[in-house]
Amino acid sequence: MRTPSHPSLPTRRHALRWLGAGLGSTVLGACGGGAVVVVWGETPAAAASGPSQTGALPAVRASAVIVARGLSRPWALVFLPDGRMLVTERTGSLRIVSMEGTLSAPVAGVPAVDARGQGGLLDVALDPAFATNQRIYLSYAEAGTGAESGRNGTAVARGVLAADGSSLTDVQVIFRQTPKIDSTAHFGSRLVFAPDGTLFITLGDRFSQRDAAQDLSNTLGKVVRLRADGSVPPDNPFVGRAGVRAEIWSYGHRNVQGAAIHPQTGELWTHEHGPQGGDEVNITRAGRNYGWPKISYGCEYGAPVGQCPPVGGATSASGMEPPVTYWVPTSIAPCGMAFYTGALFPQWHGNLFVGALAGQALWRLQLDGGRVVAREALFTDLGERIRDVRQGPDGALYLVSDGDSAKIYRVQPV
């Protein structure tokens, strides 16, 4: 990060400088009960690492205002039709957050979760027909039983949310990752509905089973595509192939914790964690191999960062898809993803936003078709691990921070 050129906190007049001026972000104080952070962008040259990215970023002024506090390790957020938010807490609770920031009691009927390490209650999504069926989908780490006791894996359940939001009924598990593993890491777990109503589920390699990401007989390190009831669509790329899981959409993934549908093309975009460096953004297409662990831009753990051969020994190989952008030499630990289509920030229209945990920032990626042409890290002085990013019905971006007493921020114009 480039440090601000001013030696101390700016005046309000100076706070209204344009993004893209090559400055860092600065905490200004409080407004409406929440901390306000006005942000200056970085120049593309300062922000870019990975594929060449050029071009000027549009000038924008924005602030981040706290709208809710007191969440315990939240993982995901989705907006209900009336503007309230459904928020998962990794510890196992699902809560409704009012537009005023009030937290409900935990919703009853949520499946039991294995809340160890990176596991627990993870993503949440609304059924495309939620207005009529009130159905929601949850992904979570599920403990094994019987012969799989002591192991766990990503599972997805759906249920009907009561009209008052107090409970979940008719809960059905529609997917279980195969096989369950003795690990507390790399559950993946984003849920995204495609325009045709099918459901994408992202799945990590479970950390200890990285080579399994190339094996099509399991669902480790994969993105799968299902119908809303858990059945396999007949047009999935591997349907009918002997020894191959028919639910697989793509493979060779490490740990995908961000996924979104491109608003123009309808294609699935994802990002995934590298080891030391090598975090990636990908256009995730049917039947494609994204390379892990055969190719990577990241280093093995324990190797000198930036001075090591990449995992797999190469950054590219025939038959394996290259990322559209990546981060080196250090990881930002990406989590959460959203395309911006709102009216509050016309200069951001069509931009891709990525949360960063280790990087403690919101990354803005400017696109030209399927290429990232410029990018910058925003809100770095919040000091927050950004776990999720969503666009709200009001056209604002909403950020979910990570931790024992986390917050929800609304990104709005200054």
Side-chain angles (χ1 to χ4, degrees), residues 8 12 35 84 113 140-141 189 213 222 230 243 271 357 365 374 386 411:
S8 59
R12 179 70 176 173
R84 293 179 301 161
V113 306
Y140 56 100
S189 220
K222 311 298 193 297
H271 65 59
L357 296 167
L365 282 63
I386 303 301
V411 177

Side-chain angles (χ1 to χ4, degrees), residues 185-246:
H186 291 198
F187 293 91
S189 220
R190 290 296 175 188
L191 304 174
V192 178
F193 277 97
D196 65 0
T198 57
L199 176 64
F200 289 112
I201 305 167
T202 74
L203 301 166
D205 66 355
R206 305 307 318 283
F207 191 72
S208 62
Q209 301 289 321
R210 60 167 56 168
D211 290 336
Q214 292 291 320
D215 181 351
L216 293 173
S217 69
N218 65 63
T219 54
L220 306 180
K222 311 298 193 297
V223 173
V224 303
R225 176 176 175 255
L226 301 173
R227 290 172 169 153
D229 63 0
S231 61
V232 175
D235 59 344
N236 265 10
F238 298 112
V239 167
R241 280 187 51 177
V244 178
R245 302 289 303 195

Side-chain angles (χ1 to χ4, degrees), residues 118-174:
Q118 297 173 5
L121 185 60
L122 302 171
D123 209 7
V124 57
L126 302 187
D127 191 285
F130 178 84
T132 56
N133 64 24
Q134 299 293 299
R135 187 172 287 136
I136 69 169
Y137 293 73
L138 297 168
S139 65
Y140 56 100
E142 179 188 57
T145 59
E148 293 185 313
S149 181
R151 302 178 182 183
N152 56 24
T154 302
V156 177
R158 68 177 187 172
V160 176
L161 185 67
D164 64 0
S166 63
S167 63
L168 201 60
T169 59
D170 191 24
V171 177
Q172 305 167 321
V173 178
I174 65 165

